[in-house]
């Protein structure tokens, strides 16, 4: 058990609806990442937070996607006006800022989204 | 730039060895190896940093060849529990490291048969 939790684990929605996912990182970790994984592919980076600041966004993150981490603890990822192409596993990972070295990213169990 | 993993799939008998490769066309700062079982989260195995040494624990080890920008994961005397998909995640050297997201390969499927 890595300690990163995600909710819900599964979500089925109709095209055009909005969905929101939650991620709770390992408690002392100040970095939080969102990835998307489709069948047969590795995780694709979406965005990341250092504490409450969103420091990088991938070009994969269209304007229908928004992520927040209001108090530097849990994070939410919202997808507005969902499309069938949004169907994927959404993974959250967290790490501890090592200042001078790359730190391990620990992944949560993911939220599997199916858009009908 | 997505790293290229090879082979795409491997089928082994329990006790056999395997090597999984991860190559990049760009200079790398770090390579991260994960194993993912179906329907589960990727589980961290190890990190290799530019200028670092070969790493390993028990029967799983890895190396990083900076000249070739290639990392290899070595699984010796494989066990049934080693089955899964292995991903390498890379970080480029452009910023000398940092907090950017990882770029993952497409994965190598490893099946261990009794």
């Amino acid at each position: 058990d890595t300690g990163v939790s995600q909710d819900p684990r599964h979500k089925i929605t109709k095209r055009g609806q909005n969905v929101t996912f939650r991620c709770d990182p390992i408690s002392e970790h100040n970095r939080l990442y969102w990835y998307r994984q489709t069948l047969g592919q590795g995780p694709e980076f979406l965005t990341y937070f250092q504490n409450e600041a969103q420091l990088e966004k991938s070009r994969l993150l269209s304007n229908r996607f928004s992520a927040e981490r209001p108090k530097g603890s849990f994070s939410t990822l919202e997808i507005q006006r969902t499309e069938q192409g949004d169907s994927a596993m959404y993974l959250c990972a967290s790490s501890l800022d090592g200042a001078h070295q790359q730190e391990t990213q620990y992944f949560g169990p993911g939220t599997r989204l199916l858009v009908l | 730039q997505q790293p290229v993993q090879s082979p795409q799939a491997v089928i082994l008998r329990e006790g056999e060895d395997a090597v999984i490769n991860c190559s990049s066309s760009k200079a790398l700062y770090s390579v991260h190896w994960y194993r993912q079982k179906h329907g589960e989260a990727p589980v961290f195995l190890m990190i290799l940093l530019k200028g670092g040494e070969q790493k390993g624990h028990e029967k799983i080890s890895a190396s990083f060849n900076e000249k070739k920008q290639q990392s290899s994961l070595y699984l010796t005397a494989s066990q049934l529990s080693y089955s899964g998909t292995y991903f390498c995640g890379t970080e480029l050297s452009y910023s000398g490291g940092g907090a950017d997201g990882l770029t993952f390969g497409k994965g190598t499927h490893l099946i261990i048969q009794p």
Side-chain angles (χ1 to χ4, degrees):
Chain A
D1 184 12
T2 63
V4 179
S5 61
Q6 292 186 244
D7 184 70
R9 295 291 307 277
H10 303 273
K11 180 70 178 178
I12 300 174
T13 191
K14 292 183 179 179
R15 190 176 52 187
Q17 297 294 306
N18 298 344
V19 294
T20 300
F21 311 140
R22 176 180 170 124
C23 170
D24 287 89
I26 294 171
S27 59
E28 64 268 24
H29 285 186
N30 54 353
R31 290 181 179 165
L32 187 148
Y33 305 78
W34 284 100
Y35 291 84
R36 180 177 69 187
Q37 186 176 25
T38 53
L39 200 61
Q41 301 292 322
E44 297 173 293
F45 170 73
L46 293 177
T47 188
Y48 100 92
F49 292 84
Q50 172 99 4
N51 300 309
E52 66 273 11
Q54 189 173 14
L55 297 185
E56 187 175 338
K57 297 182 191 180
S58 161
R59 57 181 172 77
L60 294 175
L61 209 67
S62 76
N63 54 13
R64 296 184 297 105
F65 288 68
S66 62
E68 294 182 345
R69 194 183 184 197
K71 297 182 180 178
S73 57
F74 73 91
S75 174
T76 57
L77 178 68
E78 181 183 18
I79 308 174
Q80 295 182 327
R81 305 181 303 281
T82 52
E83 302 173 355
Q84 288 182 324
D86 296 332
S87 295
M89 174 78 87
Y90 289 84
L91 292 164
C92 175
S94 70
S95 71
L96 186 63
D97 182 359
H100 299 293
Q101 62 183 17
Q102 180 63 19
E103 291 289 343
T104 301
Q105 295 183 27
Y106 293 94
F107 283 85
T111 294
R112 185 170 294 281
L113 173 67
L114 178 61
V115 181
L116 301 175
Chain B
Q1 189 80 17
Q2 185 177 39
V4 176
Q5 288 187 233
S6 63
Q8 288 184 321
V10 184
I11 300 175
L12 296 175
R13 292 282 182 193
E14 199 173 5
E16 292 181 336
D17 302 340
V19 180
I20 300 171
N21 297 307
C22 174
S23 298
S24 173
S25 59
K26 293 183 181 281
L28 297 175
Y29 172 72
S30 65
V31 180
H32 303 230
W33 285 98
Y34 289 82
R35 176 173 59 216
Q36 186 177 32
K37 295 184 182 284
H38 183 70
E40 298 180 8
V43 174
F44 170 75
L45 295 175
M46 62 190 75
I47 293 178
L48 294 103
L49 301 177
K50 179 181 177 181
E53 299 176 353
Q54 179 164 340
K55 286 196 166 187
H57 53 87
E58 295 185 352
K59 297 174 182 176
I60 301 176
S61 62
S63 63
F64 182 15
N65 185 323
E66 291 178 43
K67 276 191 175 180
K68 293 184 178 180
Q69 298 304 324
Q70 176 176 304
S71 177
S72 296
L73 185 71
Y74 306 95
L75 302 153
T76 57
S78 58
Q79 304 169 16
L80 294 175
S81 61
Y82 288 2
S83 291
T85 303
Y86 289 77
F87 292 100
C88 67
T90 58
E91 183 184 25
L92 300 181
S93 294
Y94 65 91
S95 61
D100 300 334
L102 299 173
T103 303
F104 285 89
K106 292 188 176 182
T108 295
H109 302 285
L110 179 64
I111 298 172
I112 310 295
Q113 296 178 334

